[in-house]
Amino acid sequence: MNATAPQPPDSVSQQAKPAAAPGFRDVSASQAAPAPNPLAHLPIPFQGVDYAAKGYHVEATVAPDQVVAVAEQLDKEGLALDTITGVDWLAEGQMEVVYDYFHPAKALRVVVRTRIPRGQPEIATIQKVYPGANWHERETHDFFGIRFLGHPNLTPFLLPEDADFHPLRKDYAA
Amino acid sequence: MAAQEDNARVLKDCAPHVQFAKLDELLALGRANSLWPLTFGIACCAIEMMAAGASRFDLARFGAEVFRPSPRQADVMIVAGTVNKKMAAAIKTLYDQMPEPKWVIAMGNCAISGGPFVFPGQYAVVEGVDKLFPVDVFIPGCPPRPEALIEGILKLEEKLTGKRRWPIVKPE
Amino acid sequence: MIVEEPSSTTGAPPRETFVINLGPQHPATHGVLRVKMTMDGEYVVRAEPVVGYIHRMQEKMGENRTYAQFLPNTSRIDYLSAMTYTHAFVGAVERAAKLQIPPRVEYIRVITSELNRISSHLVWWGAFLMDLGGFTPMLYAFDDREKILDLLEGITGSRLTYSYYRIGGLYNDVDDAFVQGTREFVKQMRPRLKMYRDLVTDNIIFRKRLIGIGPISKEMCRKYGATGPVIRGSGIPYDVRRVEPYSAYPDFDFVIPTFEEGDSMARYLVHMEEIVQSLRIIEQALDKLPDGPVMAEKVPRVLKLPPGDYCYAVEAARGRFAVRIVSDNKEIPYRVKLRTPCLSNLSLFEEASQGMLLPDALALMGSLDLVIPDIDR
């Protein structure tokens, strides 16, 4: 944490720090052991992540042509689609597509990332596996211009119907 | 002469029961006391508009609780919320569909000037609904309290009739 | 526009369908939602929601605002449960900055979030019944809601879009008037719920409008990522407060109401039961409210998060709301992604409403509990 010139706000009293009551996550404790990976039986390079620090349980970075296979396997595991989004890494010339999944019965948040070249941002759609991806992919296309190959209706979703700009790209100027 | 005195006496006797006024003033009074708003809540201000029409603040006292879903039946369009470029064509159509005489109340900071959603490089928000059509009353706030909406309606009534229904309460 | 479509099953003469627009200005869409409905008489052949009429670029603003400056935006995404949305954002920032939050802050956050949940459900209840044609419950619901708003206005200063939570704690402490007033509110709300049950839930017209209407299966919920009362009304007890516990919720004893039928009545009953459970949580939190500061120590004035991405999910009134912040060690985030429940909940409307009568489709849409700026952001 970059604590430049930390000044305690006025309302903090100068008492000793109260002990964490039972039930509270003690976020200051670091986990000595690596986080477990409940999806280790799948042929996807998942890694366990410290949930208290990051907010999800496992993540994997895969190649763009594997996202549909990953979606099919996670569908068999019973996971639900949370959201799909993109991140524009302008400096690296890549766009990252992030797929979030969650399990409806147990605490399992899965993040699948992939990187595609910024000059030709194309990736297959997972809409046949998860119909809910239809809208998320349309929104990602709206914001970043990522083309989802095989999508039945990649028209503007949140932007006006005649929009031809992609506003969340880092080189977008209104 | 006698006929004139007769007339004067008749008018004086009738004065408590018969009033004369200009038709314009009567029409203005009627319109002001029964402004029918168009149900056009777009965003957060719509909830305060609903609260103004609900039990505690009660727009029915001012004759304005009959929100009409159809613009053909509405007098006043209370634009409550942010107007963005995709919506601008639709809201202009609604304004055009309202029959004259019609008024517009811009409720909330977004309808006045784009509100908290204006920043350099913004691509979606119309900065103020008065860029689309003329506005009669601006009600600032984010969201304005239901009392502020009622004050805006009273201001509109004052604009119509020239008189204010309730005096402005001065804080002590 | 009349389109002739041949009947696919029996080879009967082609039906005529027409396209009608529901919205974007419509009393039953609860915001600016447009649904392009292809109708066969009164039956819905295809209902295609068109959104974007209140797109306010919240995610783009996240890249132009510092962490503290973005707080007012969080209230305006879903203004009816604004506290919970602010909670998710400050939770994500606090998780990334590894701030130790005092217990009093967590308890007050829970109390105010649950009060906000009750007020959101009351608005939903009034508006849903107005869709179905009953105008009276809205007046009762708003009366109760005003009491909650009085309590919250006393501590936050705002009625609808509170920016009460700060990064590291709260704006200010709650006073005795709030604690006493909340206790009284809980005491007088329970008989009101009984009145609502007698007035509405046991009403034969209401039951005929909703029972069996708009069934949504568990599989559909999973495939579309629907959460909140939609998934709990279809038999899956998914609630972020129980599955991924956050804040002070592990301390409290409450039930996740789940109903198996999956129809609009089940979703309605989930909402009403959640109000009961929220009252339970508020009572327990008031009883156990600890003393202490309301701000974490050593919150930096200039907040820069370490590079990486951080998520935080909460159970808002409409479902699972999650914030993902991607940081590159600057004062403003690199990317803020808002995962909103209503987008996923509405995405199944097209599939779920095929072949329904128009009033039933509107009952289904009302039971999904939509707030359109939540979809458009």
Side-chain angles (χ1 to χ4, degrees), chain B residues 48 55-56 86 123 145, chain C residues 51 55 139 150 153 159:
Chain B
E48 292 293 64
S55 17
R56 184 183 278 193
K86 194 167 181 177
Y123 57 88
R145 287 185 63 101
Chain C
V51 296
H55 175 55
L139 300 170
D150 283 342
E153 191 182 356
R159 280 167 51 96

Side-chain angles (χ1 to χ4, degrees), chain C residues 107-174:
Chain C
Y107 273 73
I108 295 177
R109 282 182 181 175
V110 165
I111 296 172
T112 46
S113 288
E114 293 303 315
L115 280 173
N116 204 203
R117 189 188 310 273
I118 299 175
S119 83
S120 167
H121 282 337
L122 284 171
V123 174
W124 167 81
W125 185 71
F128 182 46
L129 280 154
M130 229 169 55
D131 287 352
L132 299 178
F135 287 85
T136 313
M138 164 155 256
L139 300 170
Y140 287 96
F142 270 73
D143 190 25
D144 281 326
R145 182 173 169 263
E146 291 293 336
K147 299 192 178 71
I148 300 180
L149 261 48
D150 283 342
L151 292 168
L152 290 172
E153 191 182 356
I155 48 170
T156 67
S158 169
R159 280 167 51 96
L160 185 72
T161 49
Y162 328 95
S163 296
Y164 179 49
Y165 305 159
R166 294 286 183 270
I167 297 172
L170 304 171
Y171 164 54
N172 60 5
D173 203 349
V174 300

Side-chain angles (χ1 to χ4, degrees), chain A residues 31-77:
Chain A
Q31 293 207 348
N37 175 11
L39 295 178
H41 54 278
L42 294 177
I44 306 170
F46 279 121
Q47 287 173 332
V49 172
D50 181 11
Y51 177 80
K54 300 280 259 178
Y56 46 92
H57 295 95
V58 289
E59 69 168 334
T61 306
V62 300
D65 50 5
Q66 292 177 346
V67 288
V68 183
V70 167
E72 283 168 359
Q73 285 169 348
L74 293 175
D75 184 26
K76 281 204 201 66
E77 288 288 315

